[in-house]
Amino acid sequence: MKKQNFKGSVMLNPTPVVLVTCKNKEGKVNIFTIGWVSTVCTKPPIIAVGIRPERLSYEYIKESMECVVNLTTKDMVKITDFCGVQSGRKVDKIKHFGLKLDSGALIDTPSLDISPVALECRVKSITPLGTHDMFLLDILNVKVNEDIIDEKGKIRFDKANLIAYSHGEYYGLNSKPLGSFGYSIKKKKKKK
C-alpha cells in the first residue's frame, strides 16, 4: 500500500490513558490525565510519563517525588477527559466529581477508589525533553480490585473495561484477545 510521509511527530497510537493523583507538602491532592505513559522496565518495575512543567501536578509530583497512576475505565471517560482539560489551579477536580480517595499503602499519595488498578510510584528521575519532561517512576505497590482477580490469582484486565487514547479520542478495549504472548511459535498438541 502506498504511504504518505509526515514530518517527525508523535504518532504512537493508541496509548494508555491514566489519571494521576499527586499530593503537595500541605496535603492538597490533585488529579490529572496523562496519555503519554509507557512501561520501560520490568525488573525493577519502572514506567515513564511525560508531563508539561506548567501543570500544577508537575509541581506537586516534583515536590513530593511520588504519585499514583490510576488506570481508567469506560465508566471514567468523562472524568478522564475533564481532568485533562481543567487545571487544578481553577477547579478541585476531586470535589467536582465527588471522587473517593484510598490511602496509599507505601506512599502518602492516595489513589482513586473508582480505579480498578492503581500503581503507587516514587520518582526515580526527571529528564527535561522539550514541551514535556520525562518522569521515570519506580512502581512500589499495585492495588488491584478483587473483582478482576480470578480464582487462580490472575489479574483479568479484560474484565476491567479499560480505555485507551488515540489521536484525540477515547476508545474502549475489546475484551477478546487476538492471541497471547508466544502463540505464533507455540507447538500444537498431538492428538492421542
Side-chain angles (χ1 to χ4, degrees), residues 9 51 53 77 99 103 105 110-111 117 141 180 187 190:
S9 179
I51 306 173
V77 173
L99 297 171
S103 297
S111 58
V117 179
N141 183 60
S180 60
K187 294 181 182 179
K190 294 179 182 179

Side-chain angles (χ1 to χ4, degrees), residues 69-133:
V69 174
N70 300 273
L71 301 191
T72 55
T73 67
K74 291 178 184 178
D75 293 338
M76 299 168 67
V77 173
K78 187 172 185 176
I79 297 166
T80 302
D81 184 65
F82 187 91
C83 291
V85 296
Q86 289 294 323
S87 172
R89 297 182 204 285
K90 296 179 182 177
V91 179
D92 184 330
K93 296 174 265 187
I94 294 165
K95 281 186 183 174
H96 179 82
F97 284 103
L99 297 171
K100 184 179 172 195
L101 299 175
D102 187 24
S103 297
L106 296 182
I107 63 174
D108 289 331
T109 302
S111 58
L112 294 173
D113 188 62
I114 192 172
S115 176
V117 179
L119 293 75
E120 295 184 349
C121 302
R122 182 153 296 125
V123 176
K124 182 177 186 67
S125 66
I126 304 169
T127 305
L129 299 174
T131 58
H132 293 68
D133 287 359

Side-chain angles (χ1 to χ4, degrees), residues 18-23 34 37-41 45-49 51 60-71 104-111 117-125 135-143:
V18 298
L19 286 167
V20 176
T21 46
C22 50
K23 184 177 175 180
I34 294 181
V37 58
S38 179
T39 301
V40 293
C41 189
I46 300 171
I47 57 176
V49 296
I51 306 173
Y60 284 20
I61 296 168
K62 196 167 181 182
E63 185 177 291
S64 68
M65 296 300 280
E66 64 181 41
C67 63
V68 179
V69 174
N70 300 273
L71 301 191
L106 296 182
I107 63 174
D108 289 331
T109 302
S111 58
V117 179
L119 293 75
E120 295 184 349
C121 302
R122 182 153 296 125
V123 176
K124 182 177 186 67
S125 66
F135 284 66
L136 287 181
L137 304 174
D138 284 318
I139 302 169
L140 305 179
N141 183 60
V142 181
K143 295 178 180 179

Side-chain angles (χ1 to χ4, degrees), residues 25-42:
K25 288 182 182 174
E26 286 76 44
K28 175 81 174 143
V29 178
N30 192 43
I31 180 175
F32 76 121
T33 304
I34 294 181
W36 296 348
V37 58
S38 179
T39 301
V40 293
C41 189
T42 54

